[in-house]
Amino acid sequence: MVNKAIITVVGKDTVGIIAQVRTYLAENKVNILDISIVQEYFTMMMIVDMTKLEKPFEQVVSELTNIGSGIGVQIKCQREEIFDKMHRI
């Protein structure tokens, strides 16, 4: 069971990126705990709570990847514990 995940969105800024990602997450009962956005080049990082998620985590990863492809950005979703291990100093 996945409790928290890290979602990153990177790409050229266009209207509606945040709205599409936020809408998808809300429809799947994923709560955004923290969000950081860097201007100029669109970079967004979110920490999300997935405790109420009703579909397999891998399916969410795939669907977010497809949403990103459709709007011209790269979306990655990783379990928090994996993200932490990969970015440990």
Side-chain angles (χ1 to χ4, degrees), residues 6-10 44 46 61 64-65 74-78:
I6 310 299
I7 298 173
T8 56
V9 182
V10 178
M44 178 171 63
M46 295 181 280
V61 170
L64 284 169
T65 299
Q74 182 181 48
I75 301 178
K76 292 192 176 204
C77 181
Q78 296 177 298

Side-chain angles (χ1 to χ4, degrees), residues 1-29:
M1 180 173 166
V2 178
N3 289 330
K4 290 185 183 174
I6 310 299
I7 298 173
T8 56
V9 182
V10 178
K12 185 178 177 194
D13 193 12
T14 59
V15 174
I17 295 172
I18 297 169
Q20 286 193 40
V21 174
R22 181 193 49 81
T23 299
Y24 173 83
L25 295 175
E27 288 172 349
N28 287 281
K29 300 180 182 172

Side-chain angles (χ1 to χ4, degrees), residues 12-78:
K12 185 178 177 194
D13 193 12
T14 59
V15 174
I17 295 172
I18 297 169
Q20 286 193 40
V21 174
R22 181 193 49 81
T23 299
Y24 173 83
L25 295 175
E27 288 172 349
N28 287 281
K29 300 180 182 172
V30 176
N31 186 36
I32 298 171
L33 301 173
D34 194 10
I35 186 169
S36 174
I37 300 171
V38 177
Q39 296 177 353
E40 193 171 334
Y41 300 103
F42 187 85
T43 305
M44 178 171 63
M45 183 172 157
M46 295 181 280
I47 301 170
V48 299
D49 179 356
M50 296 189 148
T51 54
K52 295 183 180 179
L53 186 65
E54 296 178 348
K55 58 174 76 170
F57 178 77
E58 293 74 19
Q59 183 177 346
V60 171
V61 170
S62 177
E63 290 172 354
L64 284 169
T65 299
N66 291 338
I67 289 170
S69 294
I71 57 178
V73 297
Q74 182 181 48
I75 301 178
K76 292 192 176 204
C77 181
Q78 296 177 298

